[in-house]
Amino acid sequence: LLTSSVFAQNKWSLSATMQTTQGNYIFENSTSTYYFYSTLRYQNDRFSVSASLPFIAQNSDLVSRTGGMFLPTGEAHHREDETGESHHGGGMRGGMANFNLGLGDVFAYGEYQLITEIGSRPAIAATVQIKFPTASTEFNYGTSEYDYGVGLTMRKRLGSVATFFDLGYTVIGDPAGVEYKDPLIAGAGLGKFFGDGRYSVLLYYQTYSEVFDGLEPPSQISLGFNYRMNSNVFLSMTGFAGLSETSPDFSLSGGVQWAF
């Protein structure tokens, strides 16, 4: 969110991000996920487009990344309900030797500015996103189905303070034997710039409508720190805390973005 405020326009950028996520979700055992992805992005003063290619290491097949979030799978949920235990146990169990590696789903995102920020008027942009089913289904890294999403984003800069509001709707592709509810997604954030815009922090809250019948919808809060080394290099680190049973317990991500 904040890179749009500090990076020059009409530029390509390439980013590399590492994210680690852990949680029990609705299961007895914990699932650990390492998620590395590179993103190519183009931005000008009116629109931006990006595409991300991820690689995943995970120690169970209980969780998939779909609909823009990590979710307990419907298959695992069904089996745990019937047997009282999860399909494959989580936990570290001897380190990386118990992790499976695979390619994740390619994610594309586009944003077009409908209203430009002028004076007291906020900037409003329309967004569109699509998930291409490139992930391996052997370890349950993907659903083998497309996801689609549309939304609106509002941003307003007040001196060194920036506010963000998001509202969206996502259609989640249903794999065989699983039926997801397509969620509404809402988010709100507050950012603060320091040191002539070189440093920034962002507090952000995001929540979904119900995805599984009878289970709390996903929601999380995050706190990010960002550092602009120069006009072309941007560093970031963000911590996330899950606020519901269908969200990860915690997550930590760090990355670097280069503009060229």
Side-chain angles (χ1 to χ4, degrees):
L1 290 172
L2 292 183
T3 54
S4 298
S5 302
V6 299
F7 265 5
Q9 304 294 323
N10 299 303
K11 278 195 173 182
W12 289 89
S13 65
L14 181 66
S15 64
T17 304
M18 179 71 184
Q19 181 176 359
T20 177
T21 298
Q22 186 163 331
N24 286 59
Y25 302 85
I26 59 174
F27 307 110
E28 179 181 352
N29 296 316
S30 178
T31 293
S32 298
T33 305
Y34 293 91
Y35 199 79
F36 173 81
Y37 54 97
S38 56
T39 302
L40 181 64
R41 181 172 186 256
Y42 177 77
Q43 172 187 337
N44 63 25
D45 58 359
R46 198 68 181 179
F47 71 91
S48 67
V49 291
S50 65
S52 299
L53 176 65
F55 292 90
I56 302 173
Q58 190 164 285
N59 67 341
S60 82
D61 62 358
L62 301 178
V63 177
S64 294
R65 183 169 175 84
T66 189
M69 54 193 154
F70 289 95
L71 284 176
T73 63
E75 179 184 4
H77 176 215
H78 177 68
R79 292 187 182 184
E80 184 175 52
D81 283 345
E82 290 186 341
T83 67
E85 59 184 27
S86 59
H87 177 47
H88 286 171
M92 295 297 290
R93 299 176 304 167
M96 293 300 292
N98 291 286
F99 280 75
N100 295 311
L101 305 177
L103 180 69
D105 292 314
V106 171
F107 181 82
Y109 178 86
E111 179 177 304
Y112 184 79
Q113 188 166 272
L114 302 174
I115 298 176
T116 304
E117 180 179 0
I118 298 177
S120 60
R121 186 178 69 187
I124 298 178
T127 63
V128 61
Q129 51 191 306
I130 181 171
K131 185 204 76 177
F132 296 91
T134 57
S136 168
T137 57
E138 179 183 1
F139 304 121
N140 202 31
Y141 289 159
T143 63
S144 73
E145 300 290 335
Y146 287 85
D147 295 344
Y148 307 90
V150 294
L152 289 174
T153 295
M154 184 181 75
R155 300 184 179 96
K156 179 60 184 165
R157 184 84 179 260
L158 302 169
S160 63
V161 176
T163 58
F164 309 88
F165 298 95
D166 303 291
L167 185 64
Y169 177 74
T170 297
V171 177
I172 303 177
D174 295 329
V178 178
E179 185 174 348
Y180 294 114
K181 292 187 176 182
D182 299 328
L184 288 170
I185 308 165
L190 182 66
K192 171 70 175 177
F193 293 93
F194 303 92
D196 296 325
R198 295 191 66 188
Y199 306 91
S200 59
V201 293
L202 174 65
L203 181 67
Y204 188 73
Y205 171 75
Q206 187 176 53
T207 185
Y208 289 69
S209 62
E210 191 177 63
V211 179
F212 295 106
D213 282 326
L215 294 178
E216 290 181 283
S219 64
Q220 66 180 13
I221 192 168
S222 63
L223 181 64
F225 175 76
N226 311 280
Y227 171 54
R228 178 168 55 87
M229 295 182 64
N230 53 51
S231 60
N232 294 320
V233 181
F234 189 88
L235 306 178
S236 63
M237 179 167 287
T238 304
F240 305 81
L243 303 177
S244 71
E245 63 181 345
T246 53
S247 303
D249 294 337
F250 69 88
S251 183
L252 182 66
S253 72
V256 57
Q257 183 172 350
W258 301 271
F260 53 91

